[in-house]
């Protein structure tokens, strides 16, 4: 085996036979964490060793978007579920085609928490939470598609469209589409003050926390979007402003009355059962005054991220000329970090992007057409109150330097040809990064780079050591990249393709 670690050239990969023998003799029986780490180390070694090859064993096409969650492939608006774990993918369940009113708008995979007693045996298996076009929230068995729970959200006229996690696998948020009055009502001078509805649930078992309105009389007229994440209510405005509020404090201050699913209620003259048709859920969190503001920032297109250690945030100055320029600032005092302005100066059709590394290391990943920078935060030696941004490592696309953006070329006959234009940084004929992803269990940073050749694109998947960026394995993708792109393209009428 080739070395799977990358902390030093002398380090060798663990002997697979030795580790498997120790596992069989129960060396790790008292510590499941050690066994899991050893197993993942073995798998990483097997994946990255030179002799390991990958071949296409299955391909399918779909006219609708394709979703993937933990070894399960979902086709036809979640009506068909295919397991990709077996040697060859197999259908777990296939439901009959549904009407437009039963269409699934969004979905989340729900997994059983470890070490907790749950009320129903079905709670110990993975399930899929789906939101339908008719405001039904369904919990389906991930293996059979059977409906385990069914909750009606609202009969108030709003349309719920989006599912997200406030706290992953613990607290779920359901957001409505923005409420808009019909044109005739607007012409008649009728005002619409409620912009969004948010419903919040704790999961396994599903329990109703509360529902609230986002009202322009409280938050302002220019609200364009809203979200809840990690206990923070995030409100975005048309002028690029982002405001943060403590969602738990809002719940505690403005909760009028708690309700349990399945219980009868008498609310504002209505009598019904919580979560049952036609009443749905009561709007029991009434924000009557502007909550205390935790933080606000102005950023182009409301782009705002928080992460790192100590806490920092990333914004783009709120002017179009600064598009592609990122400021990394301290959340404590808004001070710009040393070397905190990151600008790749790309000339490309697709913009570069930046985000905090999902491995919880506090690092930052900045991806451009031909360069990936992994940045880290560290204290300035001369001033411990200030942080500095430095490069941890970089990954560079494999480009022929002599050909890139060369304005003068010489033909085989010796004729000198001068170009009247320069190539873009993401020109299809040059290798360009399209995808960067992190595999947490194997601790690998994966990249997909593409080069256009004729009508098709040639792509390869590279696996890098997450600690130092060393290339461990490169896997050519035999499928045309043009086909692969269609699997990520939601344009109506396009065929999507997925291969394993």
């Amino acid at each position: 085996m080739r070395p799977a670690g990358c902390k030093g050239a002398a380090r060798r990969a663990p002997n697979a036979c030795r580790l498997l023998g120790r596992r069989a003799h129960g060396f790790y029986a008292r510590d499941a964490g050690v066994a899991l780490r050893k197993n993942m180390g073995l798998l990483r070694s097997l994946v990255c060793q030179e002799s390991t090859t990958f071949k296409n064993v299955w391909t399918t096409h779909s006219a609708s978007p394709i979703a993937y969650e933990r070894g399960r492939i979902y086709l036809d608006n979640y009506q068909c579920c295919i397991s990709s774990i077996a040697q060859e993918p197999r259908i777990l369940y296939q439901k009959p085609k549904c009407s437009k009113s039963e269409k699934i708008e969004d979905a989340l995979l729900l997994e059983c928490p470890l070490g907790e007693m749950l009320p129903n045996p079905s709670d110990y298996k993975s399930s899929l939470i789906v939101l339908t076009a008719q405001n039904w929230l369904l919990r389906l068995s991930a293996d059979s598609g059977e409906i385990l729970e069914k909750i009606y959200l609202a009969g108030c006229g709003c349309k719920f469209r989006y599912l997200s996690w406030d706290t992953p696998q613990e607290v779920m948020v359901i957001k409505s589409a923005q409420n808009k009055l019909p044109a005739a009502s607007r012409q008649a001078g009728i005002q619409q003050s409620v912009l969004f509805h948010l419903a919040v649930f704790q999961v396994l078992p599903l329990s109703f926390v509360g529902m609230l309105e986002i009202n322009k009389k409280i938050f302002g007229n220019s609200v364009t979007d809203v979200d809840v994440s990690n206990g923070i209510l995030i409100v975005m405005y048309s002028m690029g402003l982002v405001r943060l509020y403590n969602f738990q404090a809002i719940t505690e201050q403005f909760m009028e009355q708690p309700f349990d699913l399945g219980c009868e209620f008498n609310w504002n003259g209505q009598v019904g059962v919580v979560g049952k048709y036609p009443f749905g859920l009561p709007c029991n969190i009434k924000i009557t005054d502007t909550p205390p503001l935790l933080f606000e920032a102005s950023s182009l297109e409301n782009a705002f991220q928080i992460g790192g250690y100590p806490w920092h945030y990333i914004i783009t100055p709120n002017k179009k000329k600064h598009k592609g320029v990122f400021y990394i600032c301290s959340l404590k005092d808004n001070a710009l970090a040393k070397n905190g302005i990151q600008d790749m100066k790309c000339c490309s059709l697709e913009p570069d992007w930046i985000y905090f590394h999902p491995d919880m290391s506090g690092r930052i990943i900045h991806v451009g057409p031909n360069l990936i920078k992994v940045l880290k935060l560290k204290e300035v030696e001369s001033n411990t109150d200030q942080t500095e941004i430095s490069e941890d490592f970089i990954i560079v696309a494999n480009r022929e330097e002599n050909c890139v953006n060369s304005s003068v070329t010489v033909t085989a006959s010796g004729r000198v040809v001068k170009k009247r234009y320069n190539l873009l940084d993401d020109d299809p004929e040059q290798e360009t990064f399209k995808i960067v992803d992190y595999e947490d269990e194997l601790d690998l940073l994966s990249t997909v780079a593409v080069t256009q050749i004729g009508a098709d694109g040639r792509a390869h998947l590279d696996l890098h050591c997450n600690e130092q960026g060393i290339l461990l394995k490169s896997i050519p993708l035999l499928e045309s990249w043009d086909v692969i792109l269609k699997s990520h393209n939601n344009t109506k009428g396009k065929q999507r393709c997925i291969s394993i």
Side-chain angles (χ1 to χ4, degrees), residues 8 18 33 45 85 111 128 145 148 150 154 159 164 214 254 256 273 297 304 314 319-320 375 381 389 420-421 458:
R18 180 172 175 269
S45 298
I85 297 175
E111 296 183 296
L128 194 69
L148 304 176
K150 189 173 183 179
K159 296 291 184 182
S164 63
I214 301 300
F254 298 105
E256 294 189 345
V273 178
F304 177 80
I314 303 174
K319 292 184 179 179
K320 288 186 177 180
L375 309 170
E381 293 182 0
I389 307 298
R420 296 186 179 183
Y421 60 91
R458 181 182 63 193

Side-chain angles (χ1 to χ4, degrees), residues 225-428:
D225 203 357
V226 65
D227 200 0
V228 177
S229 178
N230 294 298
I232 301 296
L233 176 65
I234 306 167
V235 183
M236 288 157 274
Y237 296 82
S238 58
M239 65 286 249
L241 190 66
V242 180
R243 286 178 172 162
L244 309 184
Y245 303 91
N246 186 326
F247 184 71
Q248 183 177 353
I250 290 173
T251 302
E252 293 173 354
Q253 181 180 353
F254 298 105
M255 173 80 73
E256 294 189 345
Q257 182 181 341
F259 289 95
D260 294 326
L261 291 173
C263 294
E264 292 187 358
F265 72 95
N266 188 332
W267 185 255
N268 295 333
Q270 289 186 320
V271 178
V273 178
V274 179
K276 299 295 184 182
Y277 185 85
F279 301 103
L281 304 174
C283 190
N284 60 336
I285 302 175
K286 293 284 187 180
I287 303 177
T288 55
D289 195 10
T290 305
L293 181 66
L294 292 180
F295 184 83
E296 71 175 7
S298 180
S299 181
L300 186 66
E301 298 175 351
N302 300 113
F304 177 80
Q305 302 177 63
I306 296 178
Y309 180 81
W311 292 106
H312 280 67
Y313 63 90
I314 303 174
I315 61 169
T316 294
N318 198 13
K319 292 184 179 179
K320 288 186 177 180
K321 68 178 182 179
H322 288 135
K323 189 176 179 67
V325 180
F326 304 100
Y327 281 39
I328 304 171
C329 304
S330 169
L331 189 64
K332 178 181 177 181
D333 54 10
N334 297 320
L336 180 68
K338 185 178 180 181
N339 302 325
I341 300 178
Q342 296 295 314
D343 183 7
M344 285 194 176
K345 302 186 184 300
C346 301
C347 180
S348 56
L349 294 176
E350 296 292 332
D352 54 326
W353 69 96
I354 193 170
Y355 57 99
F356 286 99
H357 200 311
D359 70 351
M360 307 302 291
S361 65
R363 294 181 295 177
I364 298 168
I365 299 178
H366 189 183
V367 185
N370 66 325
L371 183 66
I372 299 171
K373 290 183 179 181
V374 177
L375 309 170
K376 62 181 178 181
L377 294 163
K378 65 178 185 179
E379 291 182 349
V380 176
E381 293 182 0
S382 58
N383 183 4
T384 56
D385 292 332
Q386 186 183 15
T387 53
E388 178 182 4
I389 307 298
S390 62
E391 286 185 2
D392 197 13
F393 61 83
I394 62 172
I395 300 172
V396 183
N398 184 20
R399 293 184 173 183
E400 297 179 13
E401 295 296 334
N402 295 332
C403 298
V404 176
N405 283 336
S406 176
S407 60
V408 178
T409 57
V410 180
T411 65
S413 62
R415 185 167 61 93
V416 177
V417 178
K418 294 185 177 180
K419 293 182 180 179
R420 296 186 179 183
Y421 60 91
N422 292 325
L423 293 176
L424 294 171
D425 289 328
D426 60 350
D427 187 275

Side-chain angles (χ1 to χ4, degrees), residues 188 323 369 441 485:
K323 189 176 179 67
E441 292 184 317
L485 273 179

Side-chain angles (χ1 to χ4, degrees), residues 468-485:
Q468 296 184 5
I470 297 171
L471 177 62
L472 302 177
K473 190 174 185 65
S474 184
I475 305 166
L477 302 178
L478 302 180
E479 294 81 14
S480 166
W481 179 252
D482 182 58
V483 174
I484 298 174
L485 273 179

